[in-house]
Amino acid sequence: MLEVRDLRKTYGSHVAVDGVSFTVSPGDAFGLLGPNGAGKSTTIAMVSGLIQPDSGEVLLQGHSLRAHPRFVKQRLGLVPQHIALHERLTAEENLRYWGQVYGVHGARLRDNVEWCLRVAGLTDHRKQRVERFSGGMKRRLNIAVGLIHRPEVLIMDEPTVGIDAQSRNHILDTVRELNRDGMTVIYTSHYMQEVEYLCNRLAILDHGRMIAYGALDDVRLLAGGLSTVRMDLDGDPAPALDALQQALPAERVEAGEGRISFHVRDPGPAVGKAVLALSQYGIAPLRIDIERPNLEAAFLQLTGRRLRDGGDA
Ligand SMILES: Nc1ncnc2c1ncn2[C@@H]1O[C@H](COP(=O)(O)OP(=O)(O)O)[C@@H](O)[C@H]1O
Ligand SMILES: [Mg+2]
């Protein structure tokens, strides 16, 4: 449906996007994941025709953005990272304004405004001026504006940054529902949990380059497919370490004060063996954490750095 071929963009001597290529199929929720400064917004701006790439190409249903900008832009809905609303207008007026910018009029505009207000959960606030909205409500209206011409592909650039948890969950669920109803979504974020929750396919960007690309499960497995098990214990594990190591011969068990951890492909049986070995020394677990292979681990494996997640908005 959407094909992005080898996009590049340089600012002065700084390469912001350095050869980004991906394809998005109808019905996909495609994630663009990467730390701040990775080149996500620049990529999105080129895909939606806001800025010109130095080189590379964007094709929607085989039509190139360069040759057929109107065809492509009519079918894309962009939700920018920074909120683009008229503060003095009401929610409804904002939607009508942007609808007309996209060439939507009459009964179709009326229907679309109703639908967008419903999707954003703002029907009851339609007559309220945006200046009186909370940050979360503005975010939701910002998304609704991106939907006003009922695009085939919705492109969202970090739509949950800087808002409270409740609004964030509302937005995530809205995006998930839109996608389930058939809308193709491109979702940009530096929160790996959001991409894990929403997306079936993704690309990871770092310093303008794509360092991973594919189905969510395949990208997760770039971490080696190992789960991390952490146990808090009610005693010092030192006396039990030999027994633990014998119970888990393939794993290297790391021990600390009152806790152990190990990496393992199949955590269920390994946890059982560890608990049994500990019990022979009168030690019991207080808490057991199993972290399945995830995007955070994949990013760490690929870059040697952590992709900070949550709490740093
Ligand atoms: N208009 C611009 N002028 C100069 N540098 C820019 C501009 N836009 C982005 N950059 C730089 O390009 C890199 C990628 O930025 P951006 O695409 O905004 O990343 P992200 O959205 O992943 O945080 C950053 O180093 C940023 O400073
Ligand atoms: Mg950005």
Side-chain angles (χ1 to χ4, degrees), residues 41 81 157-158:
S41 292
Q81 186 167 3
D157 195 0
E158 307 227 31

Side-chain angles (χ1 to χ4, degrees), residues 34-42 44 81-82 157-158 161 188-190:
N36 288 327
K40 303 181 298 296
S41 292
T42 307
I44 288 308
Q81 186 167 3
H82 300 289
D157 195 0
E158 307 227 31
V161 166
T188 293
S189 183
H190 68 280

Side-chain angles (χ1 to χ4, degrees), residues 79-110:
V79 180
Q81 186 167 3
H82 300 289
I83 289 176
L85 299 169
H86 294 287
E87 292 273 323
R88 304 297 296 276
L89 301 183
T90 65
E92 190 173 355
E93 288 164 349
N94 266 281
L95 287 166
R96 295 189 66 83
Y97 171 84
W98 286 108
Q100 284 160 10
V101 169
Y102 273 102
V104 185
H105 301 281
R108 189 168 156 240
L109 181 58
R110 216 164 42 238

Side-chain angles (χ1 to χ4, degrees), residues 223-281:
L226 297 179
S227 296
T228 304
V229 178
R230 295 187 190 84
M231 289 190 193
D232 289 345
L233 308 170
D234 68 356
D236 175 15
L241 263 189
D242 282 348
L244 273 172
Q245 202 59 80
Q246 269 174 32
L248 304 168
E251 285 39 88
R252 193 165 67 82
V253 179
E254 289 168 32
E257 208 170 304
R259 64 190 158 77
I260 58 166
S261 66
F262 50 89
H263 301 280
V264 63
R265 197 162 296 277
D266 194 4
V271 167
K273 288 178 195 167
V275 170
L276 189 63
L278 288 163
S279 72
Q280 284 158 5
Y281 291 82

